[in-house]
Short mmCIF file of all heavy atoms in Angstrom, two decimals:
data_model
loop_
_atom_site.label_atom_id
_atom_site.label_comp_id
_atom_site.label_asym_id
_atom_site.label_seq_id
_atom_site.Cartn_x
_atom_site.Cartn_y
_atom_site.Cartn_z
N ALA A 76 7.82 -7.93 -38.77
CA ALA A 76 8.89 -8.84 -38.35
C ALA A 76 8.29 -10.13 -37.84
O ALA A 76 7.66 -10.19 -36.77
CB ALA A 76 9.72 -8.17 -37.26
N TYR A 77 8.46 -11.22 -38.62
CA TYR A 77 7.97 -12.54 -38.23
C TYR A 77 9.12 -13.32 -37.64
O TYR A 77 10.32 -12.99 -37.79
CB TYR A 77 7.40 -13.27 -39.45
CG TYR A 77 6.18 -12.60 -40.05
CD1 TYR A 77 5.99 -12.51 -41.42
CD2 TYR A 77 5.19 -12.08 -39.23
CE1 TYR A 77 4.89 -11.90 -41.98
CE2 TYR A 77 4.04 -11.48 -39.79
CZ TYR A 77 3.92 -11.39 -41.15
OH TYR A 77 2.80 -10.79 -41.69
N LEU A 78 8.78 -14.41 -36.98
CA LEU A 78 9.82 -15.27 -36.34
C LEU A 78 10.85 -15.71 -37.37
O LEU A 78 10.52 -16.02 -38.49
CB LEU A 78 9.15 -16.50 -35.74
CG LEU A 78 8.46 -16.30 -34.36
CD1 LEU A 78 7.71 -17.55 -34.00
CD2 LEU A 78 9.45 -15.97 -33.28
N LEU A 79 12.09 -15.73 -36.92
CA LEU A 79 13.17 -16.28 -37.74
C LEU A 79 13.26 -17.76 -37.43
O LEU A 79 13.27 -18.17 -36.25
CB LEU A 79 14.48 -15.58 -37.46
CG LEU A 79 15.63 -15.78 -38.44
CD1 LEU A 79 15.25 -15.16 -39.78
CD2 LEU A 79 16.90 -15.19 -37.92
N SER A 80 13.33 -18.57 -38.44
CA SER A 80 13.31 -20.06 -38.26
C SER A 80 14.48 -20.49 -37.43
O SER A 80 15.61 -20.01 -37.59
CB SER A 80 13.29 -20.75 -39.62
OG SER A 80 14.45 -20.45 -40.37
N TYR A 81 14.21 -21.43 -36.50
CA TYR A 81 15.30 -21.95 -35.63
C TYR A 81 16.25 -22.85 -36.42
O TYR A 81 17.45 -22.80 -36.24
CB TYR A 81 14.69 -22.81 -34.48
CG TYR A 81 13.56 -22.16 -33.77
CD1 TYR A 81 12.46 -22.94 -33.40
CD2 TYR A 81 13.55 -20.84 -33.44
CE1 TYR A 81 11.40 -22.42 -32.72
CE2 TYR A 81 12.47 -20.28 -32.77
CZ TYR A 81 11.40 -21.10 -32.39
OH TYR A 81 10.34 -20.53 -31.75
N GLU A 82 15.70 -23.70 -37.28
CA GLU A 82 16.49 -24.74 -37.91
C GLU A 82 17.14 -24.23 -39.19
O GLU A 82 17.96 -24.87 -39.77
CB GLU A 82 15.63 -25.95 -38.20
CG GLU A 82 15.01 -26.52 -36.93
CD GLU A 82 14.21 -27.79 -37.21
OE1 GLU A 82 14.38 -28.40 -38.25
OE2 GLU A 82 13.40 -28.15 -36.33
N LYS A 83 16.72 -23.04 -39.65
CA LYS A 83 17.32 -22.48 -40.85
C LYS A 83 17.38 -20.96 -40.65
O LYS A 83 16.47 -20.24 -41.01
CB LYS A 83 16.46 -22.83 -42.10
CG LYS A 83 17.20 -22.54 -43.41
CD LYS A 83 16.33 -23.02 -44.57
CE LYS A 83 17.02 -22.77 -45.90
NZ LYS A 83 16.25 -23.21 -47.05
N GLN A 84 18.44 -20.53 -40.02
CA GLN A 84 18.49 -19.18 -39.48
C GLN A 84 18.33 -18.09 -40.49
O GLN A 84 18.04 -16.95 -40.15
CB GLN A 84 19.84 -18.98 -38.74
CG GLN A 84 19.85 -19.67 -37.37
CD GLN A 84 18.92 -19.02 -36.37
OE1 GLN A 84 18.61 -17.83 -36.46
NE2 GLN A 84 18.42 -19.78 -35.45
N SER A 85 18.58 -18.36 -41.74
CA SER A 85 18.52 -17.30 -42.74
C SER A 85 17.16 -17.09 -43.34
O SER A 85 17.01 -16.29 -44.25
CB SER A 85 19.51 -17.60 -43.89
OG SER A 85 19.15 -18.83 -44.52
N GLN A 86 16.14 -17.77 -42.84
CA GLN A 86 14.80 -17.74 -43.48
C GLN A 86 13.81 -17.10 -42.53
O GLN A 86 13.66 -17.54 -41.37
CB GLN A 86 14.35 -19.12 -43.91
CG GLN A 86 13.07 -19.11 -44.71
CD GLN A 86 12.84 -20.42 -45.40
OE1 GLN A 86 13.68 -21.28 -45.42
NE2 GLN A 86 11.67 -20.58 -45.99
N ARG A 87 13.07 -16.13 -43.05
CA ARG A 87 11.98 -15.51 -42.29
C ARG A 87 10.71 -16.31 -42.53
O ARG A 87 10.36 -16.67 -43.62
CB ARG A 87 11.79 -14.08 -42.86
CG ARG A 87 10.57 -13.33 -42.38
CD ARG A 87 10.62 -11.90 -42.93
NE ARG A 87 9.44 -11.12 -42.70
CZ ARG A 87 8.49 -10.88 -43.60
NH1 ARG A 87 8.62 -11.39 -44.83
NH2 ARG A 87 7.47 -10.13 -43.30
N THR A 88 10.03 -16.64 -41.44
CA THR A 88 8.81 -17.47 -41.53
C THR A 88 7.66 -16.62 -42.08
O THR A 88 7.75 -15.40 -42.11
CB THR A 88 8.48 -18.07 -40.16
OG1 THR A 88 8.22 -17.00 -39.23
CG2 THR A 88 9.59 -18.96 -39.65
N LEU A 89 6.57 -17.30 -42.40
CA LEU A 89 5.36 -16.63 -42.92
C LEU A 89 4.13 -17.13 -42.15
O LEU A 89 4.13 -18.23 -41.62
CB LEU A 89 5.21 -16.95 -44.41
CG LEU A 89 6.30 -16.42 -45.34
CD1 LEU A 89 6.09 -16.94 -46.75
CD2 LEU A 89 6.35 -14.90 -45.33
N PRO A 90 3.07 -16.32 -42.11
CA PRO A 90 1.84 -16.76 -41.44
C PRO A 90 1.23 -17.96 -42.15
O PRO A 90 1.29 -18.06 -43.36
CB PRO A 90 0.94 -15.53 -41.51
CG PRO A 90 1.83 -14.37 -41.76
CD PRO A 90 2.96 -14.91 -42.56
N LEU A 91 0.61 -18.84 -41.38
CA LEU A 91 0.04 -20.05 -41.93
C LEU A 91 -1.21 -19.75 -42.74
O LEU A 91 -2.11 -19.00 -42.26
CB LEU A 91 -0.33 -21.01 -40.77
CG LEU A 91 -0.54 -22.47 -41.19
CD1 LEU A 91 0.79 -23.15 -41.40
CD2 LEU A 91 -1.30 -23.20 -40.09
N PRO A 92 -1.36 -20.24 -43.97
CA PRO A 92 -2.58 -20.05 -44.76
C PRO A 92 -3.80 -20.68 -44.10
O PRO A 92 -3.70 -21.76 -43.49
CB PRO A 92 -2.27 -20.71 -46.09
CG PRO A 92 -0.76 -20.78 -46.17
CD PRO A 92 -0.30 -20.95 -44.73
N LEU A 93 -4.92 -20.01 -44.18
CA LEU A 93 -6.16 -20.53 -43.60
C LEU A 93 -6.72 -21.71 -44.40
O LEU A 93 -7.69 -22.37 -43.93
CB LEU A 93 -7.21 -19.40 -43.52
CG LEU A 93 -6.83 -18.21 -42.67
CD1 LEU A 93 -7.92 -17.15 -42.69
CD2 LEU A 93 -6.59 -18.65 -41.23
N SER A 94 -6.14 -21.98 -45.55
CA SER A 94 -6.65 -23.11 -46.37
C SER A 94 -5.99 -24.42 -45.98
O SER A 94 -6.28 -25.48 -46.57
CB SER A 94 -6.37 -22.82 -47.87
OG SER A 94 -4.98 -22.64 -48.07
N TRP A 95 -5.11 -24.44 -45.00
CA TRP A 95 -4.42 -25.67 -44.59
C TRP A 95 -5.22 -26.35 -43.50
O TRP A 95 -5.57 -25.71 -42.47
CB TRP A 95 -3.03 -25.39 -44.11
CG TRP A 95 -2.08 -24.97 -45.21
CD1 TRP A 95 -2.44 -24.75 -46.54
CD2 TRP A 95 -0.67 -24.75 -45.14
NE1 TRP A 95 -1.31 -24.39 -47.25
CE2 TRP A 95 -0.21 -24.36 -46.44
CE3 TRP A 95 0.22 -24.82 -44.09
CZ2 TRP A 95 1.10 -24.09 -46.70
CZ3 TRP A 95 1.56 -24.51 -44.36
CH2 TRP A 95 1.99 -24.16 -45.65
#
Side-chain angles (χ1 to χ4, degrees):
Y77 296 139
L78 282 170
L79 195 66
S80 59
Y81 312 139
E82 301 182 18
K83 194 175 181 180
Q84 283 293 332
S85 61
Q86 187 166 351
R87 171 176 174 257
T88 60
L89 296 173
L91 197 78
L93 299 177
S94 59
W95 290 6

